[in-house]
Amino acid sequence: SIPDVKLFNPTWTSGCSLGHEPFANPGFITFLTEMIDNKLYWMCNGNSIFGNSGGAVFLAETGDQIGITARVTVLQLGFGYDVQTWMGFSVAPQRIYEFIDEQELKFLYDPKDTFKKALVRREAKEKASKLMKVAEQEEGESSEGGADG
């Protein structure tokens, strides 16, 4: 489940800044409803820069992972760019769970699920997808044939 997170909750932002070995920076949750390209992000002010992407954001009090670092704010100033390292965006936990569910990986967080059950669901999804593609192709071929008729 997603922990109850509020503005100003202390966090740790981790990653491989500028290719360095992983390390963490302290910060706080500063925004919980940032929409970028129609996707939800959370903003933290723990310093983050290129290379942090894919790292984790943790709640300082519990150690729960609440995000995946993904973006930093960059402003163009004249002919140069200025990186705002204190305005880092992470993939919101809701989106992480959506991805896990879409990929049939629920066993990662649901103790009632198993890897074997996930494989069965994935195979069923794959079969259904293939059947749908075949049906679409057949429908396309039949409508093409009818037009020339």
Side-chain angles (χ1 to χ4, degrees), residues 69-108:
T69 55
R71 305 175 81 116
V72 292
T73 302
V74 179
L75 298 174
Q76 184 172 1
L77 300 171
F79 294 106
Y81 294 94
D82 192 18
V83 179
Q84 312 302 311
T85 60
W86 62 92
M87 292 178 72
F89 295 97
S90 63
V91 175
Q94 299 91 317
R95 291 185 47 218
I96 296 169
Y97 279 101
E98 286 171 14
F99 175 80
I100 289 171
D101 290 348
E102 287 171 4
Q103 300 301 314
E104 296 297 345
L105 300 171
K106 260 185 229 183
F107 64 88
L108 293 174

Short mmCIF file of all heavy atoms in Angstrom, two decimals, residues 69-108:
data_model
loop_
_atom_site.label_atom_id
_atom_site.label_comp_id
_atom_site.label_asym_id
_atom_site.label_seq_id
_atom_site.Cartn_x
_atom_site.Cartn_y
_atom_site.Cartn_z
N THR A 69 13.25 8.36 -9.01
CA THR A 69 13.70 9.64 -9.55
C THR A 69 13.67 9.60 -11.07
O THR A 69 14.05 8.60 -11.69
CB THR A 69 15.11 10.00 -9.06
OG1 THR A 69 16.00 8.94 -9.38
CG2 THR A 69 15.14 10.25 -7.57
N ALA A 70 13.18 10.71 -11.67
CA ALA A 70 12.96 10.68 -13.11
C ALA A 70 13.32 11.97 -13.85
O ALA A 70 13.68 11.92 -15.01
CB ALA A 70 11.49 10.34 -13.40
N ARG A 71 13.19 13.12 -13.20
CA ARG A 71 13.37 14.39 -13.91
C ARG A 71 13.96 15.44 -12.97
O ARG A 71 13.76 15.37 -11.77
CB ARG A 71 12.04 14.91 -14.43
CG ARG A 71 11.27 13.95 -15.29
CD ARG A 71 9.92 14.52 -15.65
NE ARG A 71 10.05 15.46 -16.75
CZ ARG A 71 9.51 15.30 -17.95
NH1 ARG A 71 8.76 14.25 -18.19
NH2 ARG A 71 9.69 16.17 -18.90
N VAL A 72 14.64 16.40 -13.56
CA VAL A 72 15.06 17.59 -12.83
C VAL A 72 14.58 18.81 -13.61
O VAL A 72 14.27 18.72 -14.80
CB VAL A 72 16.59 17.67 -12.62
CG1 VAL A 72 17.07 16.58 -11.69
CG2 VAL A 72 17.34 17.63 -13.93
N THR A 73 14.52 19.93 -12.93
CA THR A 73 14.09 21.18 -13.58
C THR A 73 15.31 21.86 -14.19
O THR A 73 16.33 22.04 -13.54
CB THR A 73 13.43 22.11 -12.54
OG1 THR A 73 12.34 21.40 -11.96
CG2 THR A 73 12.94 23.38 -13.17
N VAL A 74 15.19 22.24 -15.47
CA VAL A 74 16.27 22.92 -16.18
C VAL A 74 15.68 24.19 -16.80
O VAL A 74 14.66 24.14 -17.48
CB VAL A 74 16.87 22.02 -17.29
CG1 VAL A 74 17.98 22.76 -18.03
CG2 VAL A 74 17.39 20.72 -16.69
N LEU A 75 16.33 25.31 -16.56
CA LEU A 75 15.90 26.58 -17.14
C LEU A 75 16.93 27.06 -18.16
O LEU A 75 18.13 26.96 -17.92
CB LEU A 75 15.76 27.66 -16.04
CG LEU A 75 14.74 27.40 -14.94
CD1 LEU A 75 14.85 28.48 -13.88
CD2 LEU A 75 13.35 27.35 -15.52
N GLN A 76 16.44 27.59 -19.27
CA GLN A 76 17.35 28.17 -20.24
C GLN A 76 17.53 29.64 -19.90
O GLN A 76 16.56 30.39 -19.80
CB GLN A 76 16.82 28.03 -21.66
CG GLN A 76 17.80 28.54 -22.69
CD GLN A 76 17.38 28.25 -24.12
OE1 GLN A 76 16.33 27.68 -24.37
NE2 GLN A 76 18.21 28.66 -25.06
N LEU A 77 18.77 30.01 -19.69
CA LEU A 77 19.10 31.39 -19.36
C LEU A 77 20.09 31.90 -20.40
O LEU A 77 21.24 31.51 -20.42
CB LEU A 77 19.73 31.49 -17.96
CG LEU A 77 18.85 31.00 -16.81
CD1 LEU A 77 19.63 30.95 -15.52
CD2 LEU A 77 17.65 31.92 -16.65
N GLY A 78 19.61 32.74 -21.31
CA GLY A 78 20.45 33.21 -22.40
C GLY A 78 20.85 32.06 -23.29
O GLY A 78 20.00 31.35 -23.81
N PHE A 79 22.16 31.83 -23.41
CA PHE A 79 22.64 30.74 -24.25
C PHE A 79 22.97 29.48 -23.44
O PHE A 79 23.38 28.47 -23.99
CB PHE A 79 23.89 31.18 -25.03
CG PHE A 79 23.60 32.25 -26.02
CD1 PHE A 79 23.99 33.56 -25.79
CD2 PHE A 79 22.90 31.97 -27.18
CE1 PHE A 79 23.72 34.56 -26.70
CE2 PHE A 79 22.60 32.96 -28.09
CZ PHE A 79 23.02 34.27 -27.86
N GLY A 80 22.78 29.56 -22.13
CA GLY A 80 23.12 28.41 -21.29
C GLY A 80 21.90 27.85 -20.59
O GLY A 80 20.78 28.33 -20.74
N TYR A 81 22.16 26.82 -19.81
CA TYR A 81 21.10 26.16 -19.06
C TYR A 81 21.48 26.13 -17.59
O TYR A 81 22.66 25.98 -17.25
CB TYR A 81 20.90 24.72 -19.55
CG TYR A 81 20.37 24.67 -20.97
CD1 TYR A 81 21.25 24.55 -22.05
CD2 TYR A 81 19.02 24.75 -21.22
CE1 TYR A 81 20.76 24.51 -23.35
CE2 TYR A 81 18.53 24.71 -22.52
CZ TYR A 81 19.40 24.59 -23.57
OH TYR A 81 18.91 24.57 -24.85
N ASP A 82 20.50 26.26 -16.74
CA ASP A 82 20.72 26.23 -15.30
C ASP A 82 19.86 25.11 -14.72
O ASP A 82 18.63 25.11 -14.87
CB ASP A 82 20.32 27.58 -14.69
CG ASP A 82 20.79 27.74 -13.27
OD1 ASP A 82 21.68 26.99 -12.84
OD2 ASP A 82 20.24 28.62 -12.57
N VAL A 83 20.50 24.15 -14.06
CA VAL A 83 19.79 23.01 -13.48
C VAL A 83 19.39 23.35 -12.05
O VAL A 83 20.23 23.75 -11.25
CB VAL A 83 20.67 21.74 -13.50
CG1 VAL A 83 19.94 20.57 -12.87
CG2 VAL A 83 21.11 21.42 -14.92
N GLN A 84 18.10 23.18 -11.76
CA GLN A 84 17.58 23.42 -10.41
C GLN A 84 17.59 22.08 -9.68
O GLN A 84 16.62 21.33 -9.72
CB GLN A 84 16.16 23.98 -10.48
CG GLN A 84 15.97 25.13 -11.45
CD GLN A 84 16.86 26.30 -11.15
OE1 GLN A 84 16.94 26.76 -10.02
NE2 GLN A 84 17.55 26.79 -12.16
N THR A 85 18.69 21.76 -9.01
CA THR A 85 18.85 20.43 -8.41
C THR A 85 17.88 20.20 -7.26
O THR A 85 17.65 19.05 -6.87
CB THR A 85 20.28 20.22 -7.90
OG1 THR A 85 20.57 21.22 -6.91
CG2 THR A 85 21.28 20.29 -9.03
N TRP A 86 17.32 21.25 -6.70
CA TRP A 86 16.41 21.11 -5.57
C TRP A 86 14.95 20.94 -6.02
O TRP A 86 14.04 20.88 -5.21
CB TRP A 86 16.51 22.32 -4.63
CG TRP A 86 16.14 23.61 -5.30
CD1 TRP A 86 14.89 24.17 -5.33
CD2 TRP A 86 16.99 24.46 -6.04
NE1 TRP A 86 14.92 25.34 -6.06
CE2 TRP A 86 16.21 25.53 -6.51
CE3 TRP A 86 18.34 24.43 -6.38
CZ2 TRP A 86 16.73 26.55 -7.29
CZ3 TRP A 86 18.85 25.46 -7.14
CH2 TRP A 86 18.05 26.50 -7.58
N MET A 87 14.74 20.85 -7.34
CA MET A 87 13.39 20.62 -7.87
C MET A 87 13.40 19.32 -8.68
O MET A 87 13.27 19.32 -9.88
CB MET A 87 12.95 21.80 -8.75
CG MET A 87 12.71 23.07 -7.97
SD MET A 87 12.26 24.45 -9.05
CE MET A 87 10.61 23.99 -9.52
N GLY A 88 13.58 18.20 -7.97
CA GLY A 88 13.62 16.90 -8.61
C GLY A 88 12.25 16.24 -8.60
O GLY A 88 11.49 16.35 -7.63
N PHE A 89 11.92 15.58 -9.69
CA PHE A 89 10.62 14.92 -9.81
C PHE A 89 10.80 13.41 -9.80
O PHE A 89 11.71 12.88 -10.43
CB PHE A 89 9.91 15.34 -11.11
CG PHE A 89 9.57 16.80 -11.13
CD1 PHE A 89 10.39 17.71 -11.76
CD2 PHE A 89 8.43 17.26 -10.48
CE1 PHE A 89 10.08 19.06 -11.77
CE2 PHE A 89 8.11 18.60 -10.49
CZ PHE A 89 8.94 19.51 -11.13
N SER A 90 9.91 12.75 -9.09
CA SER A 90 9.94 11.29 -9.06
C SER A 90 8.60 10.74 -9.53
O SER A 90 7.56 11.38 -9.38
CB SER A 90 10.26 10.79 -7.66
OG SER A 90 9.26 11.17 -6.74
N VAL A 91 8.66 9.55 -10.12
CA VAL A 91 7.45 8.85 -10.53
C VAL A 91 6.66 8.56 -9.26
O VAL A 91 7.19 8.00 -8.30
CB VAL A 91 7.80 7.53 -11.25
CG1 VAL A 91 6.56 6.74 -11.58
CG2 VAL A 91 8.62 7.82 -12.51
N ALA A 92 5.38 8.97 -9.25
CA ALA A 92 4.54 8.78 -8.08
C ALA A 92 4.28 7.29 -7.83
O ALA A 92 4.23 6.50 -8.78
CB ALA A 92 3.21 9.52 -8.26
N PRO A 93 4.12 6.89 -6.57
CA PRO A 93 3.93 5.47 -6.27
C PRO A 93 2.70 4.87 -6.96
O PRO A 93 2.73 3.69 -7.33
CB PRO A 93 3.81 5.42 -4.75
CG PRO A 93 3.59 6.82 -4.31
CD PRO A 93 4.12 7.71 -5.37
N GLN A 94 1.66 5.65 -7.17
CA GLN A 94 0.48 5.14 -7.86
C GLN A 94 0.85 4.62 -9.24
O GLN A 94 0.37 3.57 -9.68
CB GLN A 94 -0.59 6.24 -8.03
CG GLN A 94 -1.12 6.80 -6.74
CD GLN A 94 -0.35 8.03 -6.26
OE1 GLN A 94 0.88 8.08 -6.30
NE2 GLN A 94 -1.07 9.01 -5.75
N ARG A 95 1.72 5.36 -9.94
CA ARG A 95 2.15 4.95 -11.28
C ARG A 95 3.02 3.70 -11.22
O ARG A 95 2.99 2.87 -12.14
CB ARG A 95 2.89 6.09 -11.97
CG ARG A 95 1.95 7.24 -12.31
CD ARG A 95 2.59 8.35 -13.10
NE ARG A 95 3.37 7.86 -14.21
CZ ARG A 95 4.53 8.39 -14.60
NH1 ARG A 95 5.04 9.42 -13.97
NH2 ARG A 95 5.18 7.90 -15.63
N ILE A 96 3.80 3.55 -10.17
CA ILE A 96 4.64 2.36 -10.03
C ILE A 96 3.74 1.13 -9.88
O ILE A 96 3.95 0.12 -10.56
CB ILE A 96 5.59 2.49 -8.82
CG1 ILE A 96 6.56 3.66 -9.04
CG2 ILE A 96 6.35 1.19 -8.57
CD1 ILE A 96 7.36 4.05 -7.83
N TYR A 97 2.72 1.24 -9.03
CA TYR A 97 1.79 0.11 -8.86
C TYR A 97 1.03 -0.19 -10.15
O TYR A 97 0.80 -1.35 -10.49
CB TYR A 97 0.81 0.38 -7.71
CG TYR A 97 1.40 0.09 -6.35
CD1 TYR A 97 1.88 1.11 -5.55
CD2 TYR A 97 1.47 -1.22 -5.88
CE1 TYR A 97 2.42 0.85 -4.30
CE2 TYR A 97 2.02 -1.49 -4.63
CZ TYR A 97 2.49 -0.46 -3.85
OH TYR A 97 3.04 -0.73 -2.62
N GLU A 98 0.63 0.85 -10.89
CA GLU A 98 -0.05 0.64 -12.17
C GLU A 98 0.84 -0.17 -13.12
O GLU A 98 0.38 -1.10 -13.77
CB GLU A 98 -0.41 1.98 -12.83
CG GLU A 98 -1.56 2.70 -12.20
CD GLU A 98 -1.74 4.11 -12.75
OE1 GLU A 98 -1.14 4.45 -13.79
OE2 GLU A 98 -2.47 4.89 -12.12
N PHE A 99 2.12 0.20 -13.19
CA PHE A 99 3.07 -0.52 -14.05
C PHE A 99 3.21 -1.97 -13.61
O PHE A 99 3.15 -2.89 -14.43
CB PHE A 99 4.43 0.17 -14.05
CG PHE A 99 5.48 -0.58 -14.81
CD1 PHE A 99 5.54 -0.49 -16.19
CD2 PHE A 99 6.39 -1.40 -14.15
CE1 PHE A 99 6.50 -1.21 -16.91
CE2 PHE A 99 7.35 -2.11 -14.85
CZ PHE A 99 7.40 -2.02 -16.24
N ILE A 100 3.39 -2.19 -12.31
CA ILE A 100 3.54 -3.54 -11.78
C ILE A 100 2.32 -4.38 -12.13
O ILE A 100 2.43 -5.54 -12.55
CB ILE A 100 3.79 -3.51 -10.26
CG1 ILE A 100 5.20 -2.96 -9.98
CG2 ILE A 100 3.60 -4.87 -9.62
CD1 ILE A 100 5.49 -2.67 -8.53
N ASP A 101 1.12 -3.79 -11.96
CA ASP A 101 -0.11 -4.52 -12.27
C ASP A 101 -0.24 -4.82 -13.76
O ASP A 101 -0.61 -5.92 -14.15
CB ASP A 101 -1.33 -3.74 -11.78
CG ASP A 101 -1.43 -3.70 -10.27
OD1 ASP A 101 -0.71 -4.46 -9.59
OD2 ASP A 101 -2.25 -2.91 -9.76
N GLU A 102 0.07 -3.83 -14.61
CA GLU A 102 -0.01 -4.04 -16.07
C GLU A 102 0.93 -5.15 -16.53
O GLU A 102 0.63 -5.88 -17.46
CB GLU A 102 0.33 -2.75 -16.82
CG GLU A 102 -0.75 -1.70 -16.76
CD GLU A 102 -0.29 -0.36 -17.32
OE1 GLU A 102 0.85 -0.27 -17.84
OE2 GLU A 102 -1.07 0.60 -17.23
N GLN A 103 2.07 -5.27 -15.88
CA GLN A 103 3.06 -6.28 -16.25
C GLN A 103 2.84 -7.61 -15.55
O GLN A 103 3.65 -8.52 -15.67
CB GLN A 103 4.48 -5.76 -15.96
CG GLN A 103 4.85 -4.51 -16.71
CD GLN A 103 4.78 -4.71 -18.21
OE1 GLN A 103 5.27 -5.69 -18.74
NE2 GLN A 103 4.14 -3.77 -18.90
N GLU A 104 1.74 -7.71 -14.81
CA GLU A 104 1.40 -8.94 -14.07
C GLU A 104 2.51 -9.34 -13.09
O GLU A 104 2.92 -10.49 -13.01
CB GLU A 104 1.09 -10.09 -15.03
CG GLU A 104 -0.12 -9.86 -15.88
CD GLU A 104 -1.43 -9.73 -15.11
OE1 GLU A 104 -1.49 -10.08 -13.92
OE2 GLU A 104 -2.41 -9.25 -15.73
N LEU A 105 2.98 -8.36 -12.32
CA LEU A 105 4.03 -8.61 -11.33
C LEU A 105 3.53 -8.36 -9.90
O LEU A 105 4.30 -7.99 -9.03
CB LEU A 105 5.24 -7.71 -11.63
CG LEU A 105 5.90 -7.91 -12.98
CD1 LEU A 105 6.93 -6.83 -13.24
CD2 LEU A 105 6.51 -9.28 -13.09
N LYS A 106 2.25 -8.56 -9.67
CA LYS A 106 1.63 -8.29 -8.37
C LYS A 106 2.31 -9.04 -7.23
O LYS A 106 2.26 -8.60 -6.08
CB LYS A 106 0.16 -8.68 -8.40
CG LYS A 106 -0.76 -7.53 -8.59
CD LYS A 106 -2.19 -7.98 -8.47
CE LYS A 106 -2.91 -7.42 -9.68
NZ LYS A 106 -4.30 -7.70 -9.71
N PHE A 107 2.93 -10.17 -7.53
CA PHE A 107 3.59 -10.95 -6.48
C PHE A 107 4.69 -10.14 -5.79
O PHE A 107 5.11 -10.49 -4.69
CB PHE A 107 4.16 -12.26 -7.04
CG PHE A 107 5.24 -12.08 -8.06
CD1 PHE A 107 6.56 -11.96 -7.69
CD2 PHE A 107 4.92 -12.01 -9.42
CE1 PHE A 107 7.56 -11.79 -8.63
CE2 PHE A 107 5.91 -11.84 -10.37
CZ PHE A 107 7.23 -11.73 -9.98
N LEU A 108 5.12 -9.03 -6.41
CA LEU A 108 6.14 -8.20 -5.79
C LEU A 108 5.64 -7.50 -4.53
O LEU A 108 6.43 -7.17 -3.65
CB LEU A 108 6.65 -7.14 -6.78
CG LEU A 108 7.42 -7.67 -7.98
CD1 LEU A 108 7.72 -6.55 -8.96
CD2 LEU A 108 8.70 -8.37 -7.54
#
